[in-house]
Amino acid sequence: MTELQGLIIAAHGRHYLALCSDKQQGDKIYQCVTRGKKSDVATGDRVRFKITSDDQGVIEEILPRASLLYRSDQYKSKLLAANVTQLFIVVATEPGFSDDLVSRALVAAEAAGIRVQLVLNKTDIAPLLPAARGRLTLYRDLGYPVHEVSAAKDPASTL
């Protein structure tokens, strides 16, 4: 069986899509699985896998990671992504955002050594903008960049 290296671009349970780039044949996506029941493969992982059919393979090895991002709560943690260098946390004026979720994402990113930036979306909803900005002041004061965007407010002016 032929062995290849690929980048995991999607994870669905224990099924993964691995993207292989070949200078001669171009990019090809393989549907891969792991051996055994437990899997610690995450989107963003570089893996070595063996081809089992034309577009399928079995993951044999996860290559060394630069970072690993987890989602955790008081009961369990789940792998979200590997080899992440920067995280953008997008919140909106409407519907309101959870300070707890933002804080948990910040803690996870800091623990993994990942740079974080916050994005406030829907700034065109003027009545709710001051309250959203006020809630983000804490994060800005802690040194996290906060960017404000709106797809609805004068979209033609950005062209």
Side-chain angles (χ1 to χ4, degrees):
M1 285 189 266
T2 305
E3 191 169 278
L4 295 174
Q5 285 188 20
L7 172 67
I8 300 299
I9 58 171
H12 307 284
R14 287 187 39 243
H15 297 269
Y16 305 92
L17 296 181
L19 173 66
C20 290
S21 296
D22 185 298
K23 292 178 183 175
Q24 295 174 342
Q25 297 179 349
D27 292 344
K28 183 170 181 179
I29 295 175
Y30 292 86
Q31 297 179 34
C32 294
V33 295
T34 57
R35 297 191 188 279
K37 292 184 179 182
K38 187 167 181 187
S39 175
D40 60 350
V41 179
T43 301
D45 270 328
R46 294 217 169 269
V47 297
R48 190 178 337 263
F49 66 96
K50 287 186 180 173
I51 297 175
T52 57
S53 69
D54 186 44
D55 65 346
Q56 296 182 344
V58 175
I59 297 171
E60 297 290 333
E61 179 185 7
I62 300 169
L63 300 176
R65 296 168 167 150
S67 66
L68 189 57
L69 187 62
Y70 288 91
R71 178 181 71 204
S72 299
D73 62 22
Q74 61 192 26
Y75 303 108
K76 62 183 185 263
S77 64
K78 179 183 176 180
L79 294 175
L80 285 182
N83 300 314
V84 175
T85 57
Q86 188 162 218
L87 176 68
F88 288 85
I89 300 172
V90 180
V91 297
T93 56
E94 175 72 23
F97 56 92
S98 165
D99 293 311
D100 181 53
L101 290 177
V102 171
S103 295
R104 285 177 31 205
L106 289 171
V107 168
E110 288 288 338
I114 299 168
R115 290 184 315 237
V116 179
Q117 297 192 42
L118 292 138
V119 178
L120 175 59
N121 192 18
K122 300 184 183 179
T123 57
D124 56 293
I125 303 177
L128 301 176
L129 186 56
R133 280 181 175 153
R135 291 173 63 197
L136 291 174
T137 299
L138 168 69
Y139 305 112
R140 183 178 277 124
D141 290 348
L142 290 171
Y144 295 104
V146 177
H147 309 280
E148 295 186 5
V149 297
S150 171
K153 187 175 181 181
D154 300 325
S157 67
T158 60
L159 299 177

